[in-house]
Amino acid sequence: MKPLLLASLILMLFTGCQTSEKEVYLFSYFQDNGQDGLHLAYSYDGYNYTALNDNKSFLTPTVAEDKLMRDPCIIQGSGGKFHMVWTVSWNDRGIGYAWSEDLIHWSEQQFIPVMQDEPDALNCWAPELIYDEKSNQYMIYWATTIPGRFAAGEGLGDSKYNHRMYYTTTNDFVHFSDTKLLYDEGFNVIDAVIKNIDGAYYMFLKDETKNPAKKHIRIAKSDQLTEGYQLISDPISPDWVEGPTVTRIGDSWVVFYDEYTRHYMGAVRSTDLKNWEVINDQINFPEGTRHGTVFKAPESVLNKLLEIH
């Protein structure tokens, strides 16, 4: 074989091995009260989302007494498997979990009693997932009110609620670490989502204080995943929003959120995580979209989803 031809073949093989599949943006969300289950939408540009499956549910909730699937959070973990957690009820001491290889066929749904050791706990709201490569573990975190546990913020939120963020870790979704407090800076907090950005951990959270009304998104930061978070920002969103979810689009960070009193999705964008602009006029979501999670997936996964009608 001629040297030039051999070199060309080697280059082609090397280039082929280096080619990675194109990724697209997916968005998991619920509608109404979450009774019909998981909805999915897709986007090629990260800003404009189209409902999949004619905006019908992909998965009907089966666990817990209320059988809801609110606030569905999906991430693609190690090995390419998708993991999802969700809120099963307004008043329960556990969360829902299921996994899938393709977002179409799902495992048996599992109820994880994350606050079973806290008999006075009122709820487990908006669980989120993050995979920690350092420890090869997943961290699940959520908001819970335990009456009388924290004096700060008592009576300043909605009704009896005064939430803090809690977490547990697992590497197999069968065995879980003891539940621990994740975040408390002296105010009522829900709907936190954590991103590892340049080796630091940024927590986008909702200040749930109602009196005086805040109900906006702020950022806390830590150099450790499970502790040490401190606020670093003023509000980055309007008031009366919830369910922040974060993604990178080009050279910008975009935070989507549910403007639940106005019944539409909103968003802010920043290139430096310090200066934020509202970009509601640049986004589109399916009608009825509520509190969800934006994540990236291979285009081959989307192509299979598009075949469903």
Side-chain angles (χ1 to χ4, degrees):
M1 184 177 289
K2 295 182 179 180
L4 182 59
L5 178 58
L6 178 61
S8 298
L9 287 172
I10 292 173
L11 179 61
M12 289 172 62
L13 287 170
F14 178 78
T15 303
C17 291
Q18 295 300 307
T19 300
S20 58
E21 186 178 351
K22 178 182 177 180
E23 286 190 317
V24 296
Y25 296 89
L26 296 178
F27 199 92
S28 60
Y29 61 100
F30 76 99
Q31 293 189 322
D32 194 30
N33 195 34
Q35 67 273 15
D36 74 337
L38 171 66
H39 292 253
L40 294 171
Y42 72 97
S43 173
Y44 286 102
D45 65 7
Y47 294 100
N48 298 282
Y49 289 83
T50 302
L52 287 157
N53 194 28
D54 297 323
N55 209 10
K56 294 181 292 188
S57 171
F58 278 84
L59 183 66
T60 301
T62 61
V63 297
E65 182 176 352
D66 290 344
K67 293 182 174 57
L68 299 180
M69 191 172 281
R70 297 174 60 88
D71 322 316
C73 169
I74 297 177
I75 68 168
Q76 189 170 25
S78 60
K81 185 180 293 185
F82 294 96
H83 299 275
M84 177 172 66
V85 291
W86 67 90
T87 304
V88 299
S89 170
W90 288 92
N91 303 288
D92 209 314
R93 289 187 290 128
I95 62 174
Y97 166 75
W99 62 267
S100 174
E101 299 282 1
D102 56 10
L103 300 174
I104 300 169
H105 306 94
W106 287 87
S107 68
E108 181 179 354
Q109 295 173 40
Q110 176 182 342
F111 179 80
I112 307 175
V114 291
M115 297 303 286
Q116 63 182 348
D117 294 329
E118 293 284 357
D120 295 328
L122 298 182
N123 59 335
C124 294
W125 285 358
E128 292 273 340
L129 279 165
I130 185 171
Y131 177 66
D132 180 28
E133 293 183 355
K134 293 180 182 178
S135 63
N136 191 31
Q137 291 190 120
Y138 296 88
M139 184 173 82
I140 309 172
Y141 52 103
W142 64 92
T144 287
T145 288
I146 304 175
R149 183 63 56 89
F150 300 97
E154 195 74 40
L156 301 181
D158 294 274
S159 184
K160 57 193 174 183
Y161 295 108
N162 186 24
H163 306 82
R164 297 299 187 273
M165 300 303 303
Y166 293 84
Y167 78 95
T168 183
T169 59
T170 182
N171 57 20
D172 57 10
F173 292 93
V174 176
H175 306 92
F176 301 88
S177 67
D178 292 341
T179 292
K180 296 180 180 178
L181 181 68
L182 173 64
Y183 177 72
D184 169 33
E185 278 202 275
F187 62 92
N188 190 350
V189 57
I190 64 171
D191 295 358
V193 57
I194 298 170
K195 287 290 182 183
N196 185 339
I197 302 174
D198 297 330
Y201 297 95
Y202 289 76
M203 179 187 288
F204 299 79
L205 56 91
K206 179 187 179 184
D207 185 337
E208 183 68 340
T209 304
K210 184 179 181 181
N211 301 303
K214 295 186 178 180
K215 304 282 189 174
H216 47 227
I217 310 302
R218 296 184 68 179
I219 306 173
K221 182 181 177 183
S222 176
D223 60 1
Q224 301 178 71
L225 176 59
T226 60
E227 61 184 359
Y229 291 92
Q230 294 184 325
L231 288 171
I232 62 168
S233 80
D234 293 326
I236 67 170
S237 75
D239 297 343
W240 297 96
V241 305
E242 65 185 13
T245 183
V246 187
T247 193
R248 183 85 170 178
I249 303 176
D251 63 354
S252 299
W253 288 99
V254 177
V255 180
F256 299 106
Y257 41 75
D258 182 353
E259 300 208 21
Y260 62 102
T261 63
R262 295 174 282 271
H263 309 293
Y264 53 75
M265 295 293 292
V268 290
R269 181 172 58 197
S270 173
T271 57
D272 59 8
L273 297 171
K274 297 177 181 178
N275 300 289
W276 297 86
E277 61 171 334
V278 175
I279 57 167
N280 286 17
D281 60 343
Q282 299 177 44
I283 66 171
N284 287 288
F285 280 86
E287 184 177 357
T289 298
R290 299 203 57 198
H291 187 151
T293 297
V294 61
F295 61 103
K296 293 181 181 179
E299 189 174 24
S300 59
V301 172
L302 171 61
N303 290 337
K304 292 292 185 181
L305 290 167
L306 287 169
E307 293 175 2
I308 299 175
H309 296 286

